Amino acid sequence: MTSTLIQNASAMLTGGHGPLARTSASDLRIEGDRITEMGSLTPRAGETLIEARVCVVYPGFVNTHHHLFQSVLKGVPAGLNLPLFEW
């Protein structure tokens, strides 16, 4: 079975509410298609390593579509109160 270790994340979110929204874990192990461990983990022989320093890891969250670009543009004063296609 293939194994991947995401290491040294700046933050790891859980999807929970309030104080449960963030964990102190900095590493996450995936075996096959399942998250099997979170914490401060040691790489295993042959494991794929992903360096996540300066990254936020949000297990289970898949961003298939977003409107960040439009949100930024709508914050520009010239774009306020205009329909999408005018700006």
Side-chain angles (χ1 to χ4, degrees):
M1 179 181 306
T2 62
S3 178
T4 302
L5 180 61
I6 301 173
Q7 283 191 301
N8 304 315
S10 293
M12 192 159 315
L13 306 178
T14 65
H17 295 283
L20 300 176
R22 192 169 177 167
T23 176
S24 61
S26 60
D27 305 335
L28 179 138
R29 179 168 282 119
I30 304 164
E31 295 180 87
D33 61 357
R34 303 265 182 204
I35 296 170
T36 57
E37 293 180 87
M38 291 173 67
S40 181
L41 307 175
T42 303
R44 295 177 181 162
E47 190 165 53
T48 300
L49 298 176
I50 298 174
E51 175 57 50
R53 196 175 320 274
V54 306
C55 296
V56 173
V57 176
Y58 198 154
F61 182 73
V62 178
N63 183 7
T64 59
H65 181 85
H66 65 83
H67 290 271
L68 181 61
F69 181 71
Q70 289 91 338
S71 296
V72 170
L73 284 179
K74 289 302 271 184
V76 174
L80 295 177
N81 300 317
L82 292 177
L84 173 66
F85 294 107
E86 288 185 30
W87 52 269

